[in-house]
Amino acid sequence: MDQDSIRRFIAETYGDVTVQVANSDDGSPEVAWGDTFFLHRDDKHQFPFATIVTKDYRDFDNLSNLDREGVFRLNIGVSKKTFESLFPTAVDPDFTALDVLMPHPVYGQNHFVCVLNPSDATFISLKPLLDEAYRIAAGRVERRKERADERA
């Protein structure tokens, strides 16, 4: 599975998703250029439900050693319940391992999971997690709309 295939799958599966590949023209910080952000189109807060990261973020997020040639990390935000079902006990993963589902090295505490260079088989197993992440994002947008309508 490559980055383009993942982008295509998410864009085709979830109709109201914006797929943003950060670059110099969209105002993204330089460190994010080339990374992909999957956002619910109506999310004014621009909080991604999944991302593809292609490089280390200096001292902040470097445990996956993404600066290796051809290595990328797919990150997916899931519910606390799902996260805890996937990782019921404390784990000490090898954050550099390819094709292994693990807690995100930085955002695991926020229920993000990740896989470096998922294989086709692993990606199939990630589809329910992507569905959940999308539903969480859509629900957040809907709740904000409802609150805005109540205030109006």
Side-chain angles (χ1 to χ4, degrees), residues 112-130:
F112 268 77
V113 299
C114 67
V115 178
L116 278 64
N117 293 46
S119 65
D120 291 346
T122 297
F123 189 76
I124 289 169
S125 73
L126 297 176
K127 289 179 180 181
L129 302 180
L130 286 166

PDB file of all heavy atoms in Angstrom, residues 112-130:
ATOM      1  N   PHE A 112      -4.744   7.929  19.218  1.00  0.00           N
ATOM      2  CA  PHE A 112      -4.308   7.762  17.836  1.00  0.00           C
ATOM      3  C   PHE A 112      -3.475   6.491  17.746  1.00  0.00           C
ATOM      4  O   PHE A 112      -2.629   6.227  18.603  1.00  0.00           O
ATOM      5  CB  PHE A 112      -3.489   8.958  17.351  1.00  0.00           C
ATOM      6  CG  PHE A 112      -4.307  10.016  16.671  1.00  0.00           C
ATOM      7  CD1 PHE A 112      -5.083  10.897  17.414  1.00  0.00           C
ATOM      8  CD2 PHE A 112      -4.329  10.115  15.291  1.00  0.00           C
ATOM      9  CE1 PHE A 112      -5.854  11.854  16.790  1.00  0.00           C
ATOM     10  CE2 PHE A 112      -5.101  11.072  14.659  1.00  0.00           C
ATOM     11  CZ  PHE A 112      -5.870  11.950  15.407  1.00  0.00           C
ATOM     12  N   VAL A 113      -3.749   5.727  16.696  1.00  0.00           N
ATOM     13  CA  VAL A 113      -2.969   4.540  16.390  1.00  0.00           C
ATOM     14  C   VAL A 113      -2.182   4.821  15.120  1.00  0.00           C
ATOM     15  O   VAL A 113      -2.485   5.783  14.397  1.00  0.00           O
ATOM     16  CB  VAL A 113      -3.868   3.294  16.219  1.00  0.00           C
ATOM     17  CG1 VAL A 113      -4.639   3.017  17.504  1.00  0.00           C
ATOM     18  CG2 VAL A 113      -4.809   3.441  15.037  1.00  0.00           C
ATOM     19  N   CYS A 114      -1.206   3.974  14.834  1.00  0.00           N
ATOM     20  CA  CYS A 114      -0.417   4.216  13.625  1.00  0.00           C
ATOM     21  C   CYS A 114       0.157   2.922  13.085  1.00  0.00           C
ATOM     22  O   CYS A 114       0.260   1.920  13.794  1.00  0.00           O
ATOM     23  CB  CYS A 114       0.693   5.222  13.899  1.00  0.00           C
ATOM     24  SG  CYS A 114       1.989   4.654  15.020  1.00  0.00           S
ATOM     25  N   VAL A 115       0.524   2.984  11.819  1.00  0.00           N
ATOM     26  CA  VAL A 115       1.220   1.894  11.139  1.00  0.00           C
ATOM     27  C   VAL A 115       2.208   2.527  10.174  1.00  0.00           C
ATOM     28  O   VAL A 115       1.842   3.418   9.402  1.00  0.00           O
ATOM     29  CB  VAL A 115       0.246   0.992  10.343  1.00  0.00           C
ATOM     30  CG1 VAL A 115       1.011  -0.096   9.609  1.00  0.00           C
ATOM     31  CG2 VAL A 115      -0.810   0.396  11.237  1.00  0.00           C
ATOM     32  N   LEU A 116       3.435   2.054  10.203  1.00  0.00           N
ATOM     33  CA  LEU A 116       4.428   2.485   9.223  1.00  0.00           C
ATOM     34  C   LEU A 116       4.337   1.566   8.018  1.00  0.00           C
ATOM     35  O   LEU A 116       4.357   0.342   8.163  1.00  0.00           O
ATOM     36  CB  LEU A 116       5.846   2.406   9.813  1.00  0.00           C
ATOM     37  CG  LEU A 116       6.309   3.562  10.695  1.00  0.00           C
ATOM     38  CD1 LEU A 116       5.489   3.668  11.962  1.00  0.00           C
ATOM     39  CD2 LEU A 116       7.774   3.393  11.019  1.00  0.00           C
ATOM     40  N   ASN A 117       4.176   2.158   6.846  1.00  0.00           N
ATOM     41  CA  ASN A 117       4.128   1.427   5.582  1.00  0.00           C
ATOM     42  C   ASN A 117       3.218   0.188   5.663  1.00  0.00           C
ATOM     43  O   ASN A 117       3.685  -0.942   5.527  1.00  0.00           O
ATOM     44  CB  ASN A 117       5.532   1.011   5.143  1.00  0.00           C
ATOM     45  CG  ASN A 117       6.397   2.187   4.790  1.00  0.00           C
ATOM     46  OD1 ASN A 117       6.443   3.177   5.505  1.00  0.00           O
ATOM     47  ND2 ASN A 117       7.111   2.086   3.696  1.00  0.00           N
ATOM     48  N   PRO A 118       1.912   0.405   5.855  1.00  0.00           N
ATOM     49  CA  PRO A 118       1.022  -0.754   5.945  1.00  0.00           C
ATOM     50  C   PRO A 118       0.995  -1.554   4.644  1.00  0.00           C
ATOM     51  O   PRO A 118       0.971  -0.989   3.556  1.00  0.00           O
ATOM     52  CB  PRO A 118      -0.346  -0.128   6.229  1.00  0.00           C
ATOM     53  CG  PRO A 118      -0.239   1.276   5.729  1.00  0.00           C
ATOM     54  CD  PRO A 118       1.196   1.679   5.916  1.00  0.00           C
ATOM     55  N   SER A 119       0.993  -2.868   4.789  1.00  0.00           N
ATOM     56  CA  SER A 119       0.830  -3.757   3.629  1.00  0.00           C
ATOM     57  C   SER A 119      -0.631  -3.726   3.205  1.00  0.00           C
ATOM     58  O   SER A 119      -1.487  -3.183   3.917  1.00  0.00           O
ATOM     59  CB  SER A 119       1.228  -5.183   4.002  1.00  0.00           C
ATOM     60  OG  SER A 119       0.322  -5.683   4.983  1.00  0.00           O
ATOM     61  N   ASP A 120      -0.939  -4.317   2.069  1.00  0.00           N
ATOM     62  CA  ASP A 120      -2.330  -4.399   1.623  1.00  0.00           C
ATOM     63  C   ASP A 120      -3.184  -5.118   2.664  1.00  0.00           C
ATOM     64  O   ASP A 120      -4.290  -4.679   2.981  1.00  0.00           O
ATOM     65  CB  ASP A 120      -2.429  -5.137   0.281  1.00  0.00           C
ATOM     66  CG  ASP A 120      -1.829  -4.342  -0.878  1.00  0.00           C
ATOM     67  OD1 ASP A 120      -1.572  -3.126  -0.719  1.00  0.00           O
ATOM     68  OD2 ASP A 120      -1.625  -4.942  -1.943  1.00  0.00           O
ATOM     69  N   ALA A 121      -2.683  -6.226   3.200  1.00  0.00           N
ATOM     70  CA  ALA A 121      -3.440  -6.997   4.191  1.00  0.00           C
ATOM     71  C   ALA A 121      -3.673  -6.187   5.461  1.00  0.00           C
ATOM     72  O   ALA A 121      -4.780  -6.181   6.015  1.00  0.00           O
ATOM     73  CB  ALA A 121      -2.713  -8.300   4.513  1.00  0.00           C
ATOM     74  N   THR A 122      -2.653  -5.498   5.927  1.00  0.00           N
ATOM     75  CA  THR A 122      -2.813  -4.678   7.124  1.00  0.00           C
ATOM     76  C   THR A 122      -3.784  -3.538   6.860  1.00  0.00           C
ATOM     77  O   THR A 122      -4.624  -3.221   7.710  1.00  0.00           O
ATOM     78  CB  THR A 122      -1.445  -4.134   7.593  1.00  0.00           C
ATOM     79  OG1 THR A 122      -0.619  -5.253   7.950  1.00  0.00           O
ATOM     80  CG2 THR A 122      -1.588  -3.198   8.783  1.00  0.00           C
ATOM     81  N   PHE A 123      -3.708  -2.932   5.674  1.00  0.00           N
ATOM     82  CA  PHE A 123      -4.613  -1.829   5.370  1.00  0.00           C
ATOM     83  C   PHE A 123      -6.069  -2.293   5.415  1.00  0.00           C
ATOM     84  O   PHE A 123      -6.927  -1.564   5.912  1.00  0.00           O
ATOM     85  CB  PHE A 123      -4.286  -1.181   4.023  1.00  0.00           C
ATOM     86  CG  PHE A 123      -5.071   0.070   3.801  1.00  0.00           C
ATOM     87  CD1 PHE A 123      -4.734   1.241   4.456  1.00  0.00           C
ATOM     88  CD2 PHE A 123      -6.176   0.078   2.972  1.00  0.00           C
ATOM     89  CE1 PHE A 123      -5.472   2.405   4.282  1.00  0.00           C
ATOM     90  CE2 PHE A 123      -6.923   1.231   2.783  1.00  0.00           C
ATOM     91  CZ  PHE A 123      -6.563   2.392   3.444  1.00  0.00           C
ATOM     92  N   ILE A 124      -6.339  -3.488   4.940  1.00  0.00           N
ATOM     93  CA  ILE A 124      -7.710  -4.013   5.015  1.00  0.00           C
ATOM     94  C   ILE A 124      -8.174  -4.057   6.464  1.00  0.00           C
ATOM     95  O   ILE A 124      -9.303  -3.682   6.776  1.00  0.00           O
ATOM     96  CB  ILE A 124      -7.790  -5.409   4.348  1.00  0.00           C
ATOM     97  CG1 ILE A 124      -7.659  -5.256   2.833  1.00  0.00           C
ATOM     98  CG2 ILE A 124      -9.095  -6.117   4.710  1.00  0.00           C
ATOM     99  CD1 ILE A 124      -7.463  -6.555   2.086  1.00  0.00           C
ATOM    100  N   SER A 125      -7.296  -4.453   7.368  1.00  0.00           N
ATOM    101  CA  SER A 125      -7.661  -4.505   8.786  1.00  0.00           C
ATOM    102  C   SER A 125      -7.826  -3.112   9.390  1.00  0.00           C
ATOM    103  O   SER A 125      -8.454  -2.960  10.440  1.00  0.00           O
ATOM    104  CB  SER A 125      -6.632  -5.308   9.578  1.00  0.00           C
ATOM    105  OG  SER A 125      -5.426  -4.587   9.731  1.00  0.00           O
ATOM    106  N   LEU A 126      -7.278  -2.085   8.724  1.00  0.00           N
ATOM    107  CA  LEU A 126      -7.387  -0.704   9.220  1.00  0.00           C
ATOM    108  C   LEU A 126      -8.688  -0.025   8.785  1.00  0.00           C
ATOM    109  O   LEU A 126      -9.063   1.002   9.351  1.00  0.00           O
ATOM    110  CB  LEU A 126      -6.201   0.125   8.732  1.00  0.00           C
ATOM    111  CG  LEU A 126      -4.820  -0.304   9.201  1.00  0.00           C
ATOM    112  CD1 LEU A 126      -3.753   0.565   8.546  1.00  0.00           C
ATOM    113  CD2 LEU A 126      -4.717  -0.251  10.715  1.00  0.00           C
ATOM    114  N   LYS A 127      -9.360  -0.565   7.799  1.00  0.00           N
ATOM    115  CA  LYS A 127     -10.565   0.084   7.278  1.00  0.00           C
ATOM    116  C   LYS A 127     -11.614   0.338   8.349  1.00  0.00           C
ATOM    117  O   LYS A 127     -12.182   1.440   8.396  1.00  0.00           O
ATOM    118  CB  LYS A 127     -11.129  -0.705   6.102  1.00  0.00           C
ATOM    119  CG  LYS A 127     -10.263  -0.586   4.859  1.00  0.00           C
ATOM    120  CD  LYS A 127     -10.815  -1.391   3.704  1.00  0.00           C
ATOM    121  CE  LYS A 127      -9.935  -1.256   2.473  1.00  0.00           C
ATOM    122  NZ  LYS A 127     -10.474  -2.012   1.332  1.00  0.00           N
ATOM    123  N   PRO A 128     -11.906  -0.611   9.263  1.00  0.00           N
ATOM    124  CA  PRO A 128     -12.861  -0.287  10.329  1.00  0.00           C
ATOM    125  C   PRO A 128     -12.383   0.858  11.228  1.00  0.00           C
ATOM    126  O   PRO A 128     -13.193   1.641  11.726  1.00  0.00           O
ATOM    127  CB  PRO A 128     -12.990  -1.594  11.119  1.00  0.00           C
ATOM    128  CG  PRO A 128     -12.559  -2.660  10.174  1.00  0.00           C
ATOM    129  CD  PRO A 128     -11.519  -2.027   9.288  1.00  0.00           C
ATOM    130  N   LEU A 129     -11.082   0.971  11.420  1.00  0.00           N
ATOM    131  CA  LEU A 129     -10.537   2.070  12.225  1.00  0.00           C
ATOM    132  C   LEU A 129     -10.703   3.398  11.492  1.00  0.00           C
ATOM    133  O   LEU A 129     -11.030   4.425  12.104  1.00  0.00           O
ATOM    134  CB  LEU A 129      -9.076   1.816  12.574  1.00  0.00           C
ATOM    135  CG  LEU A 129      -8.782   0.525  13.334  1.00  0.00           C
ATOM    136  CD1 LEU A 129      -7.283   0.392  13.607  1.00  0.00           C
ATOM    137  CD2 LEU A 129      -9.583   0.435  14.613  1.00  0.00           C
ATOM    138  N   LEU A 130     -10.485   3.403  10.188  1.00  0.00           N
ATOM    139  CA  LEU A 130     -10.715   4.615   9.398  1.00  0.00           C
ATOM    140  C   LEU A 130     -12.187   4.990   9.414  1.00  0.00           C
ATOM    141  O   LEU A 130     -12.528   6.178   9.539  1.00  0.00           O
ATOM    142  CB  LEU A 130     -10.225   4.420   7.963  1.00  0.00           C
ATOM    143  CG  LEU A 130      -8.716   4.437   7.784  1.00  0.00           C
ATOM    144  CD1 LEU A 130      -8.324   3.910   6.410  1.00  0.00           C
ATOM    145  CD2 LEU A 130      -8.162   5.845   8.005  1.00  0.00           C
TER     146      LEU A 130
END
